[in-house]
Amino acid sequence: MKAYKRQINLGAQGFYASPYGGVHNWRMLSDLNVDTSEEDNAKRGDIFNYFSFGVSACEVEVDTLTGLFDVVRTDILMDVGHSLNPAIDIGQVEGAWVQGMGRWTMEEMAWGDAKHPRAAKGSLISDNPHRYFIPSAADVPKDFRVTLLTDADNPTAIHSSKAVGEPPFFMSSSVFFALQDAIKAAREEEGLAMAVCDAPLTSERIRMACRDHFANYNPDARVAGSF
């Protein structure tokens, strides 16, 4: 309270400027017609200090009558260089992956338009937790396995480490593609071709994409690309 009253900032800030990379020969508008087919990429400089890599695989179970699903198992192999704290890094990977799963399967933005005539045009409908859903503890994969890649040197960063906050986010797309495969299998049982589904692949989209004699009663569900 004393620091607050005296307007003393108790925060701390740091910034690391890497001596490597960060220098890149950016292409200008006048260079668009330049033939670069024979040009060595090394001549252009390094736009990033380093890259992070990872791989993810998912197993899902889908209830074709409701569109609800469970992520039975997820395996992740993540390159974090030489981990400074494996417990923290694994937690970051798990958190980013689950956050991304929400992006691919739940978090849908809905606006007032022709499909939502009751809402004012252009107004945001999904503006509260009742209409905009995010993952909960119940949505975490039942079997969640995270492995950090070993012998992954990174000489361009502190103690050979790598950032791990956001890189695992996109790896959660594996749940989207696993659901696509499940939908494909369900449609094959009905003698239907594979459907192209948009993200987020919500339970409503999964249900209508799986197709059966119940869903066939809805004529709007037969429109191509409506899932």
Side-chain angles (χ1 to χ4, degrees):
M1 181 60 70
K2 291 182 179 179
Y4 174 77
K5 290 181 177 179
R6 296 176 61 182
Q7 299 183 358
I8 298 176
N9 182 12
L10 298 180
Q13 179 179 349
F15 183 83
Y16 173 70
S18 170
Y20 310 96
V23 180
H24 187 70
N25 180 20
W26 292 96
R27 292 293 179 190
M28 306 301 291
L29 186 61
S30 58
D31 297 328
L32 291 180
N33 295 323
V34 176
D35 182 12
T36 61
S37 59
E38 301 298 329
E39 186 173 327
D40 186 357
N41 282 333
K43 296 179 180 179
R44 305 180 190 180
D46 298 318
I47 190 172
F48 298 111
N49 191 25
Y50 61 84
F51 293 91
S52 294
F53 303 91
V55 62
S56 171
C58 275
E59 179 184 351
V60 299
E61 289 183 351
V62 175
D63 185 341
T64 59
L65 294 179
T66 63
L68 299 177
F69 68 90
D70 284 324
V71 182
V72 178
R73 174 173 170 174
T74 295
D75 290 84
I76 300 174
L77 177 63
M78 192 69 202
D79 169 23
V80 298
H82 289 185
S83 176
L84 301 179
N85 189 319
I88 291 179
D89 287 344
I90 290 175
Q92 288 288 320
V93 172
E94 293 173 339
W97 194 94
V98 174
Q99 180 186 5
M101 180 181 67
R103 181 260 180 272
W104 291 109
T105 64
M106 303 177 189
E107 301 178 37
E108 183 172 22
M109 304 291 286
W111 306 84
D113 52 21
K115 294 182 178 180
H116 308 89
R118 295 185 179 181
K121 187 176 181 180
S123 63
L124 180 63
I125 300 174
S126 52
D127 58 354
N128 60 65
H130 297 287
R131 298 189 182 100
Y132 187 86
F133 307 107
I134 60 176
S136 68
D139 300 306
V140 175
K142 303 299 184 290
D143 188 352
F144 205 174
R145 309 186 187 193
V146 177
T147 303
L148 302 181
L149 185 66
T150 58
D151 298 326
D153 295 333
N154 182 28
T156 62
I158 299 175
H159 297 300
S160 199
S161 62
K162 285 188 176 183
V164 69
E166 295 181 354
F169 182 92
F170 182 74
M171 290 197 300
S172 58
S173 60
S174 59
V175 71
F176 176 82
F177 295 113
L179 289 172
Q180 282 269 36
D181 285 342
I183 292 172
K184 178 183 177 183
R187 290 176 64 87
E188 286 178 347
E189 291 183 358
E190 298 293 327
L192 299 172
M194 180 177 180
V196 177
C197 300
D198 296 329
L201 195 47
T202 60
S203 58
E204 293 87 354
R205 285 196 173 102
I206 294 173
R207 171 66 187 98
M208 299 311 297
C210 286
R211 313 298 299 149
D212 54 30
H213 63 282
F214 295 110
N216 287 335
Y217 286 117
N218 182 3
D220 294 332
R222 301 177 186 178
V223 179
S226 64
F227 308 116

